[in-house]
Amino acid sequence: MSNRVRVRYAPSPTGHLHIGNARTALYVYLFAKHFNGDMVLRIEDTDIERNVEGGEESQAKYLHWLGIDWDEGPDKGGEFGPYRQLERLDLYKQYANELIENGHAYKCYCTEEELAAEREAQLAAGHPTTRYSGKCRHLTAEERAVKEAASAEHTIRFAVPANDTYEWEDIVRGNIKFESKDIGDWVLVKKNGIATYNYAVVVDDALMKISHVLRGEEHISNTPKQIMVYRALNWDAPDFGHMAVIVNENRKKLSKRDESVLQFIEQYQNLGYLPEALFNFIALLGWSPVGEEEIFSKDEFIKIFDPSRLSSAPAMFDKQKLTWINNRYIKEQPLEKVVEISLPHLIKAGFVNEERTADENLWVTNLVALYQDQMSFGAEIVELSSLFFKEVLTFGEEEQAVISEEQVKEVLSALVEELKASEEFTVDSIKAAMKSVQKSTGQKGKKLFMPIRVATTGQCHGPELPAAMTLLGKEKVIARLQQIIG
């Protein structure tokens, strides 16, 4: 293994990019870039039955969207390709034969029925777990010759050594140890000739010169099997780091069936989240910087990333924190970018036409500007701005109390007269009209402004009032005022 840091993200194309995989990819990326190393994208596609069409493309698309790029992979090539496991079957076969020749593996001719009978017998005998008995490991040369002559189907199993210890210093969890007596002879190559995960990943990582492996804690139990293959082939194992699970707000492990949390990166893009904000949020799901600050650019994350600060405790997916982070990023964006993530949702809601004039585009831009500081994601613009698209306003209890006050009709009637008399309908002219109403009615403060706000917007709280009235337009504002006046 070279001294250069080389890490890999190795997804299966069995679905779209979800939060857990995105976090693994993100930490692999930060690790590689922090140490001036290489990130490798490798597609582990040997689980043919579970592969989905477009799975690989989806992984790449949404990794790029998040701002994660790699140095080698199926799309880029590289010195250590090919980068899809189904294109590496000859390599797995080569080393499986070497393991057989060296006595570290053997062909197993047991049928599925025989294996099922073994498992049932072990369970009936009260064994808490079942494992292969290893009977094909002890076949004589003559017995093997008979099987071969009959072209009997077979798997290739690893011959697990007796009384061996598999120990490593985990980057995240410290010392971890397994004993070989707890592991039965396991399958390296299936009957169809396709290598199993725990075997293929070792061949790939060794030949690709992977120096560090970062992955989820569910892989801890796989690691001793992988270490025994490294030893059998006289290869150095990489350093391993197993990251804690992500849990929901009820402290239950996040799963793809958990509907309390959006699972897939595509969903966040579709809702108008910013990739930089999601990158920031995911980076904090199991890793913490020094100090209290939590908002960092990608380049800052690369600079400060310290693998020793990866947490072994479960990482909670805090939805409020995500919306807070995304809001922080939206506030700092150019207005054009916020319009870009908001517009598809306004169109989908039927509020805005797909084809627009220059004046209509300006109106949309001004509308989004009203809410930029409040927005947590693009789709939120629909609910926030709905008051502009209602034909008839409805009022809640708080709003009803405001427009029931005795001075309301006098204030609104005076404002209608001022607006009708004014040739302009701008923020400044509306402010001037309100000032005139204040003088003519003697009303000021909440007694003046709250009835106007509720009558025109239907809300007690909202965006800057003259700006909102300007966007509503003179005709609609007067109509809404007269609706209350009666």
Side-chain angles (χ1 to χ4, degrees):
M1 187 183 298
S2 69
N3 292 325
R4 184 173 179 81
V5 167
R6 287 177 56 80
V7 284
R8 47 78 167 174
Y9 171 60
S12 299
T14 54
H16 301 292
L17 183 66
H18 60 81
I19 289 293
N21 276 356
R23 183 187 68 167
T24 298
L26 191 151
Y27 288 157
V28 165
Y29 172 81
L30 292 177
F31 193 101
K33 299 308 166 190
H34 178 78
F35 292 107
N36 296 312
D38 302 318
M39 178 179 176
V40 177
L41 177 66
R42 185 175 72 227
I43 305 299
E44 298 187 343
D45 55 357
T46 55
D47 193 351
I48 298 172
E49 292 181 355
R50 294 182 60 230
N51 291 345
V52 299
E53 187 176 352
E56 179 182 330
E57 292 77 8
S58 172
Q59 290 275 335
K61 176 181 178 180
Y62 291 103
L63 287 173
H64 281 308
W65 180 76
L66 277 173
I68 297 172
D69 199 9
W70 44 94
D71 302 287
E72 300 169 28
D75 56 335
K76 295 191 173 186
E79 183 182 349
F80 302 98
Y83 294 92
R84 295 186 185 92
Q85 286 188 330
L86 284 178
E87 297 172 8
R88 300 172 63 82
L89 297 182
D90 287 345
L91 288 168
Y92 308 140
K93 183 178 180 180
Q94 172 189 336
Y95 289 102
N97 288 336
E98 183 176 324
L99 289 168
I100 292 173
E101 290 168 9
N102 294 337
H104 293 295
Y106 59 92
K107 293 180 180 179
C108 173
Y109 303 94
C110 294
T111 64
E112 290 301 322
E113 291 75 17
E114 290 173 318
L115 294 173
E118 270 194 5
R119 288 191 291 270
E120 290 173 10
Q122 290 175 25
L123 290 172
H127 296 290
T129 58
T130 63
R131 68 177 62 176
Y132 176 58
S133 65
K135 65 181 182 180
C136 285
R137 181 174 182 173
H138 307 295
L139 292 176
T140 65
E142 291 77 11
E143 288 171 325
R144 290 188 187 282
V146 170
K147 296 285 189 182
E148 289 295 312
S151 299
E153 283 190 327
H154 65 271
T155 59
I156 298 175
R157 288 184 181 269
F158 192 88
V160 177
N163 304 315
D164 214 345
T165 300
Y166 304 101
E167 186 174 7
W168 72 96
E169 200 65 27
D170 197 90
I171 295 168
V172 180
R173 298 167 182 279
N175 186 262
I176 300 178
K177 183 188 296 186
F178 284 82
E179 302 297 331
S180 63
K181 63 182 176 61
D182 299 320
I183 305 168
D185 291 357
W186 52 280
V187 175
L188 294 170
V189 180
K190 294 179 282 188
K191 289 180 180 179
N192 62 5
I194 294 180
T196 59
Y197 166 76
N198 280 316
Y199 170 52
V201 73
V202 172
V203 175
D204 292 342
D205 284 346
L207 297 185
M208 292 181 181
K209 300 186 183 300
I210 299 301
S211 62
H212 299 78
V213 171
L214 295 177
R215 56 191 181 190
E217 68 174 32
E218 66 273 14
H219 286 287
I220 290 175
S221 60
N222 290 325
T223 308
K225 293 180 178 179
Q226 294 167 19
I227 291 175
M228 61 180 74
V229 178
Y230 280 107
R231 289 184 184 175
L233 291 169
N234 294 314
W235 290 337
D236 292 330
D239 292 335
F240 295 100
H242 292 91
M243 297 168 292
V245 296
I246 303 173
V247 297
N248 63 22
E249 290 168 350
N250 295 320
R251 298 287 175 181
K252 292 185 177 179
K253 181 180 176 181
L254 210 61
S255 74
K256 294 177 184 177
R257 294 179 295 276
D258 186 348
E259 295 183 358
S260 69
V261 173
L262 295 177
Q263 294 290 310
F264 297 99
I265 302 303
E266 180 178 2
Q267 293 172 296
Y268 290 97
Q269 184 195 40
N270 290 342
L271 283 171
Y273 281 81
L274 294 170
E276 305 93 331
L278 202 57
F279 186 106
N280 194 143
F281 173 74
I282 294 172
L284 301 175
L285 276 176
W287 177 86
S288 60
V290 175
E292 299 298 319
E293 183 57 56
E294 293 187 299
I295 304 297
F296 300 99
S297 69
K298 183 168 68 173
D299 287 342
E300 288 170 332
F301 270 117
I302 290 170
K303 183 177 180 180
I304 66 176
F305 184 75
D306 179 355
S308 70
R309 297 189 65 83
L310 287 165
S311 175
S312 59
M316 189 182 81
F317 192 101
D318 186 338
K319 289 178 285 187
Q320 288 188 329
K321 185 172 183 178
L322 172 58
T323 55
W324 173 77
I325 288 175
N326 209 63
N327 173 255
R328 283 279 301 268
Y329 275 83
I330 284 178
K331 285 179 179 179
E332 300 299 321
Q333 294 297 309
L335 177 57
E336 295 77 18
K337 177 64 178 177
V338 186
V339 172
E340 181 185 321
I341 63 171
S342 302
L343 192 53
H345 304 285
L346 291 169
I347 293 171
K348 184 178 178 182
F351 291 170
V352 174
N353 295 322
E354 288 199 43
E355 300 293 329
R356 296 172 303 282
T357 64
D359 286 344
E360 288 170 334
N361 277 328
L362 178 61
W363 186 89
V364 171
T365 298
N366 291 334
L367 175 73
V368 174
L370 275 183
Y371 294 102
Q372 179 171 357
D373 284 353
Q374 290 176 253
M375 286 172 58
S376 297
F377 52 94
E380 212 171 25
I381 190 66
V382 172
E383 182 179 353
L384 288 172
S385 67
S386 61
L387 70 93
F388 288 91
F389 307 100
K390 292 178 179 178
E391 291 299 322
V392 178
L393 294 178
T394 55
F395 305 101
E397 288 184 15
E398 186 180 3
E399 289 78 19
Q400 195 66 55
V402 169
I403 58 177
S404 298
E405 293 175 358
E406 58 182 358
Q407 86 287 3
V408 168
K409 289 191 177 182
E410 179 191 12
V411 166
L412 300 187
S413 296
L415 182 59
V416 167
E417 294 308 312
E418 290 289 340
L419 294 178
K420 285 182 176 179
S422 175
E423 292 184 4
E424 293 185 331
F425 194 72
T426 63
V427 168
D428 288 340
S429 70
I430 291 169
K431 287 180 178 179
M434 289 181 180
K435 197 168 189 65
S436 295
V437 171
Q438 180 181 336
K439 288 180 180 178
S440 65
T441 63
Q443 301 295 338
K444 59 183 179 179
K446 283 189 175 183
K447 292 289 185 181
L448 172 69
F449 295 110
M450 283 298 282
I452 298 172
R453 176 177 291 282
V454 172
T456 55
T457 71
Q459 302 171 352
C460 288
H461 314 280
E464 202 266 329
L465 184 56
M469 290 172 67
T470 303
L471 284 176
L472 281 165
K474 185 173 183 177
E475 184 178 327
K476 184 174 283 189
V477 165
I478 291 174
R480 287 184 175 183
L481 292 170
Q482 287 177 330
Q483 177 189 344
I484 303 302
I485 296 167

